[in-house]
Amino acid sequence: METTSKAESTLQKSLDVHTESNKLLHQSTSDTGILSVDMESSQDGDSDEDTTSGLDGFSGLSPYERKRLKNISENADFFASLQLSESAARLREMIKKRQPPESKRKKPKKRESETGCRRSMRLLKVDPSGVSLPVTVAQPTFTADENPLLPPGPLEMTPENRDDNNELFKEFLQTWTEMSKTSRMNTEDKLSSIKSYKVNLSGMAISEDTVCKVTRGPICSMALHPSETRTLVAAGAKSGQVGLWDLTQQPKEDGVYIFYPHSEPVSCLYFSPTNPANILSLSYDGTLRCGDFSRAIFEEVYRNERSSFSSFDFLAEDASTLIVGHWDGSMSLVDRRTPGTSYEKLIHSALNKIRTVHVHPVYRQYFITAGLRDVHVYDARYLKPRGSQPLISLTEHTKSIASAYFSPITGNRVVTTCADCKLRIFDSSCISSQIPLLTTIRHNTFTGRWLTRFQAVWDPKQEDCIIVGSMDYPRRVEIFHETGKWVHSFHAEYLASVCSINAMHPNRYILAGANSSGKIHVFMN
């Protein structure tokens, strides 16, 4: 509309200019008319050399002025023949009749008879013939975040992706049952040299057969079975699943079994140190279960429907007592030796939130907890129901902490993972009033909202080296020495995603990395 107004204004100005020109021309024409009469009455016949010779009677005019008057007369006749004045008058009338445009555009009124946009007949509650459907009472629905708690007590170990009568599943149970007889833990404290360690790491490779989707959704926890004859991996998922994968089976899909012992994320997963045929899983849903493959059940170890669990570890080497961390900052001491049920002692810590709990491998009365911004070391012998104070607090962290773990053999080091993109290694060789900071490793730990947070863990057979995922391209899993020096990177064609959760075999050179879509990537010799 603004463009149209500008065009009309320009046209109006042009017409005014032409009108003024016409007035001047008519005035000149009237003056010239008198001269033309006199020129016609002139008897001078010599007009060949000068076209204005008819004006010779006016002795006061020069030849140039006579020529100019003649041109004015001819131009006036020409413009008069075009009738510009009449056209200008008509255009003025047309412009006056047009109303000025409105400053704001008005929306046209919707006519009642106008047909609206197309809508689903099901949503309009009419059948295809146009007859209204009977009104039905809406039934309550449950969203994915409203997963109800599973019933208390033992649950049958029924695979979600298989028929429980399948012969393969029976062989699978038999295999995992026998693992308790054939597996043995390496308790030697001797470490390999970094040079030989690097050589062994460089011999580990990944292939298409060692990459498999084991669970639905992000993997929050993972554990490698200590067996030296078979490669068995367990993964706990955000959906509450526990997936088990036997890499010995081919095709690889035949070795995957998925169970649902929980209704919310499985944040912590361990094989029993005394009976590796048992796997213990802890979930946000406030339950801790033990998968017993010899009986094909998930028995309930500990349950607290009023709280949400975050992590656990074994206080005793025989796995008879446990320390359980709660998201609200409280802790539970659980004794499994009580027949029929587990004895629980609830402790309120000095933290507002607990993400991980880890017990010292040698002095098992000590355990470390990672909170929101602080890391605390407690002595289990002096815990009180209320007002329990830590022995040591590590306050060097500036942002949210994801995990804190003692080194696996001696416990002389602690590694923490923080959202400030730093991995910190502390000297815990002497647990006193403070644990000094030894090394800070700059590492991109910002996984964002949709990826599982990184957790740097120790290699159980090389306790001076840590393993952590990476956001760098190409995708990789990295190993650093406790001094901060880079040791090795695992990257290959078949590793195309971020592995947030990683676990190394306690005796063999096998690394498993899990991503946020349920896939496990295995590097092995």
Side-chain angles (χ1 to χ4, degrees):
M1 296 301 292
E2 293 180 359
T3 305
T4 306
S5 300
K6 290 181 180 179
E8 292 175 353
S9 176
T10 304
L11 177 60
Q12 180 65 39
K13 290 180 181 179
S14 300
L15 292 175
D16 292 341
V17 171
H18 283 294
T19 303
E20 294 298 328
S21 300
N22 288 338
K23 290 180 180 179
L24 292 174
L25 289 174
H26 282 295
Q27 183 178 358
S28 300
T29 304
S30 61
D31 295 337
T32 312
I34 301 174
L35 295 175
S36 62
V37 172
D38 293 337
M39 286 188 291
E40 289 175 359
S41 62
S42 176
Q43 300 297 323
D44 190 355
D46 298 333
S47 61
D48 295 336
E49 296 180 0
D50 190 356
T51 55
T52 60
S53 59
L55 300 174
D56 291 341
F58 299 91
S59 59
L61 297 177
S62 64
Y64 169 76
E65 291 175 339
R66 290 196 297 268
K67 179 69 173 177
R68 175 176 171 275
L69 291 175
K70 184 177 180 181
N71 289 339
I72 290 174
S73 177
E74 291 176 353
N75 290 339
D77 294 339
F78 173 73
F79 282 113
S81 65
L82 295 178
Q83 297 181 349
L84 291 178
S85 300
E86 292 80 356
S87 300
R90 287 196 299 270
L91 287 174
R92 286 195 197 95
E93 293 297 328
M94 293 173 61
I95 292 173
K96 289 179 180 180
K97 289 181 179 180
R98 286 178 63 95
Q99 295 181 356
E102 298 181 2
S103 58
K104 294 184 179 179
R105 182 180 178 182
K106 292 183 178 180
K107 294 182 179 180
K109 293 182 178 180
K110 187 176 180 180
R111 293 176 297 177
E112 294 183 357
S113 59
E114 183 179 356
T115 304
C117 60
R118 297 182 62 184
R119 294 181 61 187
S120 168
M121 301 188 76
R122 177 180 60 81
L123 296 178
L124 293 174
K125 300 186 182 303
V126 295
D127 63 13
S129 62
V131 179
S132 299
L133 296 175
V135 178
T136 57
V137 180
Q139 298 295 328
T141 57
F142 297 95
T143 62
D145 296 330
E146 296 175 343
N147 295 332
L149 282 176
L150 297 176
L155 302 175
E156 291 186 10
M157 189 175 285
T158 304
E160 295 292 327
N161 60 332
R162 304 291 179 120
D163 182 2
D164 56 355
N165 295 322
N166 194 311
E167 290 298 326
L168 289 176
F169 179 56
K170 295 179 181 179
E171 293 178 6
F172 172 82
L173 290 176
Q174 184 66 25
T175 298
W176 284 75
T177 301
E178 292 175 354
M179 286 300 99
S180 61
K181 305 172 184 178
T182 60
S183 62
R184 59 183 178 86
M185 299 291 290
N186 185 3
T187 58
E188 296 182 0
D189 295 345
K190 184 179 178 180
L191 299 179
S192 302
S193 66
I194 289 297
K195 184 176 181 180
S196 61
Y197 182 62
K198 285 184 176 181
V199 171
N200 289 322
L201 294 178
S202 61
M204 299 168 62
I206 189 174
S207 65
E208 185 178 0
D209 291 335
T210 60
V211 178
C212 186
K213 186 173 178 63
V214 179
T215 66
R216 177 174 60 85
I219 293 177
C220 304
S221 56
M222 188 168 53
L224 272 169
H225 195 281
S227 171
E228 294 184 355
T229 59
R230 303 177 78 96
T231 304
L232 307 172
V233 187
K238 185 177 181 179
S239 57
Q241 294 178 339
V242 171
L244 304 176
W245 180 23
D246 181 1
L247 275 74
T248 312
Q249 295 288 337
Q250 290 296 330
K252 58 186 178 182
E253 290 77 12
D254 289 347
V256 176
Y257 290 84
I258 301 174
F259 306 93
Y260 261 108
H262 301 281
S263 59
E264 293 187 24
V266 181
S267 56
C268 201
L269 203 62
Y270 287 115
F271 287 101
S272 172
T274 57
N275 183 7
N278 291 347
I279 184 169
L280 285 86
S281 58
L282 175 139
S283 172
Y284 288 11
D285 62 9
T287 60
L288 175 63
R289 295 184 180 274
C290 176
D292 188 344
F293 297 98
S294 62
R295 296 187 294 160
I297 62 169
F298 286 98
E299 67 173 336
E300 189 172 276
V301 176
Y302 174 49
R303 185 186 188 95
N304 188 335
E305 297 183 2
R306 301 182 305 275
S307 185
S308 180
F309 298 159
S310 59
S311 180
F312 85 98
D313 199 5
F314 304 104
L315 272 175
E317 288 185 290
D318 60 358
S320 60
T321 56
L322 312 171
I323 179 73
V324 178
H326 301 225
W327 277 111
D328 61 3
S330 57
M331 300 175 290
S332 296
L333 293 175
V334 179
D335 192 337
R336 301 176 63 191
R337 293 170 294 185
T338 305
T341 183
S342 296
Y343 170 76
E344 170 209 359
K345 183 179 181 181
L346 188 63
I347 308 296
H348 293 278
S349 72
L351 296 172
N352 294 326
K353 182 178 291 188
I354 293 179
R355 284 197 170 93
T356 60
V357 174
H358 194 239
V359 175
H360 196 286
V362 179
Y363 306 105
R364 305 194 70 89
Q365 69 271 22
Y366 299 123
F367 64 92
I368 191 168
T369 60
L372 185 63
R373 292 290 179 90
D374 297 333
V375 175
H376 289 178
V377 178
Y378 289 91
D379 189 335
R381 297 171 298 179
Y382 301 104
L383 292 177
K384 301 177 181 179
R386 294 192 178 276
S388 293
Q389 297 299 318
L391 296 176
I392 304 166
S393 297
L394 307 180
T395 59
E396 289 83 356
H397 305 85
T398 59
K399 290 189 178 181
S400 174
I401 303 170
S403 61
Y405 297 109
F406 283 111
S407 55
I409 299 175
T410 64
N412 290 339
R413 299 290 183 266
V414 169
V415 61
T416 63
T417 309
C418 184
D420 60 4
C421 293
K422 291 180 182 178
L423 308 177
R424 292 175 173 85
I425 297 176
F426 298 85
D427 182 5
S428 56
S429 57
C430 180
I431 297 180
S432 58
S433 59
Q434 62 179 0
I435 297 179
L437 176 66
L438 291 179
T439 311
T440 298
I441 304 172
R442 293 200 62 83
H443 186 72
N444 184 2
T445 58
F446 186 71
T447 53
R449 179 181 179 184
W450 306 110
L451 299 180
T452 305
R453 296 184 67 178
F454 287 147
Q455 291 186 5
V457 296
W458 298 96
D459 186 336
K461 58 184 174 295
Q462 189 75 21
E463 72 154 15
D464 56 355
C465 292
I466 59 173
I467 306 164
V468 64
S470 176
M471 296 294 293
D472 294 338
Y473 287 96
R475 298 308 190 192
R476 65 192 67 185
V477 177
E478 295 187 307
I479 295 184
F480 294 95
H481 191 259
E482 64 177 21
T483 59
K485 294 182 179 180
W486 171 85
V487 176
H488 186 76
S489 289
F490 294 96
H491 55 84
E493 175 187 356
Y494 296 102
L495 179 60
S497 58
V498 177
C499 289
S500 299
I501 305 297
N502 300 277
M504 185 73 86
H505 196 280
N507 307 318
R508 302 161 59 190
Y509 282 91
I510 299 175
L511 170 71
N515 67 8
S516 295
S517 65
K519 278 188 178 181
I520 293 180
H521 309 74
V522 177
F523 289 82
M524 57 193 305
N525 287 329

